[in-house]
Amino acid sequence: MIDKSSPMPIYYQIEEEIKLQITTGILKPGDILKSEREYAEYYQVSRMTIRQAINNLVSQGLIYKRKGSGTYVQEKKIEQGLNGLTSFTEDMKSRGLEPSNRLIHFKLIPATSAIASKLKIDVHTPVYEIKRIRLGDNTPIAIETNIIPANTVKGLTEDIIAKSLYDYIENTLHLKIGKAMQIIESSIATKAEAELLGIAKQSPILLIERETHLADGTPLEIVKSSYRADRYKFMISMNR
Ligand code: 16G
């Protein structure tokens, strides 16, 4: 309960109490919170005080507002280790989520000079451009665009990329995926990205670029992804 004589601001005490209800599971992901008015009555404080507590919890990513509907407890973020080179399908399965894909496009195009120099192929050599929305338990998590040399990953089809690209590369083509370089930066979802990911426009996203090579050093893919920052976080362990 809150203590009005405490030097701790009242909004902060309320914020901490709601946070505790979330972390201890009294409030569960997807639960709707009381309205501002209900909280104000319950705590006997002004709606402004409640609004401040709620807005702080929204900016911490613990709860979110849905226009005209209410405020809900956010799903837990997926924590992704950065120590191993894994596929999206593996990332979802290892967390008990069912992976799926929504294909936006699948094209065979001639490599531009920028793509050709990254993939160490001649300009105009055919490359696949694959754009997919990647989902976990039917929730959109990321938008991903892969550029893949068609002469290295032969025989790709829409059916294959509806499942797992890495599974096809390793278990059908028997190619050995070696290593990747990955860059992560923060950004804001464009209107188009927000629509595809089912989030409010200008929500925070994580932009990821990955360049992957086969074990023999052959460039395999250039990938650009936009991950929902409200559902994903990255973790790395470090030694000194
Ligand atoms: C991940 C990789 C991407 C790879 C894909 C294969 C990142 C940022 N990217 O999304 O480079 O092409 O997995 O996934 O992690 P799949 O085997 O499930 O198709």
Side-chain angles (χ1 to χ4, degrees):
M1 273 319 261
I2 59 165
D3 174 2
K4 288 189 179 165
S5 62
S6 161
M8 202 84 86
I10 292 171
Y11 76 82
Y12 182 74
Q13 293 183 46
I14 295 172
E15 181 186 324
E16 288 299 301
E17 185 160 305
I18 299 175
K19 197 185 281 178
L20 193 68
Q21 289 171 352
I22 294 171
T23 51
T24 56
I26 296 171
L27 282 170
K28 296 192 172 47
D31 280 358
I32 188 163
L33 267 64
K34 290 189 213 302
S35 68
E36 256 177 39
R37 189 180 46 76
E38 286 167 334
Y39 271 129
E41 266 169 30
Y42 179 77
Y43 288 114
Q44 292 294 298
V45 297
S46 73
R47 286 177 66 158
M48 275 292 288
T49 304
I50 299 298
R51 197 166 305 152
Q52 188 160 7
I54 295 289
N55 286 345
N56 288 351
L57 292 167
V58 169
S59 55
Q60 289 163 40
L62 288 169
I63 59 176
Y64 65 97
K65 291 182 182 175
R66 209 181 279 159
K67 259 209 186 107
S69 159
T71 306
Y72 296 83
V73 180
Q74 188 64 270
E75 297 289 330
K76 273 226 188 80
K77 285 189 186 182
I78 296 167
E79 190 171 272
Q80 167 76 53
L82 284 172
N83 301 303
L85 176 47
T86 53
S87 71
F88 184 85
T89 301
E90 290 163 341
D91 293 341
M92 291 303 113
K93 284 188 176 163
S94 65
R95 281 159 193 80
L97 300 173
E98 185 58 34
S100 61
N101 298 301
R102 219 173 275 152
L103 185 62
I104 300 175
H105 67 238
F106 176 66
K107 303 184 206 170
L108 196 57
I109 55 167
T112 61
S113 57
I115 289 173
S117 86
K118 281 197 171 171
L119 291 175
K120 299 200 176 68
I121 53 177
D122 293 332
V123 180
H124 302 319
T125 309
V127 292
Y128 291 111
E129 184 181 282
I130 302 162
K131 188 165 180 184
R132 293 179 286 178
I133 303 177
R134 318 235 41 192
L135 306 95
D137 276 357
N138 287 321
T139 302
I141 306 277
I143 307 166
E144 184 172 86
T145 307
N146 304 53
I147 308 280
I148 300 173
N151 293 332
T152 305
V153 181
K154 297 198 167 81
L156 266 189
T157 63
E158 289 192 12
D159 282 350
I160 292 165
I161 52 153
K163 297 184 205 114
S164 165
L165 175 66
Y166 279 14
D167 181 63
Y168 175 72
I169 292 170
E170 293 183 318
N171 300 319
T172 302
L173 297 180
H174 302 292
L175 298 172
K176 196 163 165 34
I177 299 173
K179 60 178 179 182
M181 227 272 288
Q182 191 160 300
I183 297 171
I184 304 174
E185 35 179 341
S186 65
S187 187
I188 297 289
T190 61
K191 190 165 174 273
E193 283 172 328
E195 272 167 21
L196 293 175
L197 290 171
I199 52 178
K201 85 170 179 250
Q202 300 207 316
S203 299
I205 52 171
L206 297 162
L207 287 182
I208 305 184
E209 278 187 54
R210 185 188 276 193
E211 290 180 26
T212 315
H213 292 78
L214 293 177
D216 67 6
T218 311
L220 176 69
E221 60 171 0
I222 321 170
V223 188
K224 284 194 179 168
S225 320
S226 306
Y227 276 74
R228 285 173 58 164
D230 63 336
R231 294 303 323 278
Y232 230 79
K233 61 179 171 186
F234 291 92
M235 186 266 295
I236 187 159
S237 71
M238 287 178 277
N239 297 320
R240 179 170 158 96

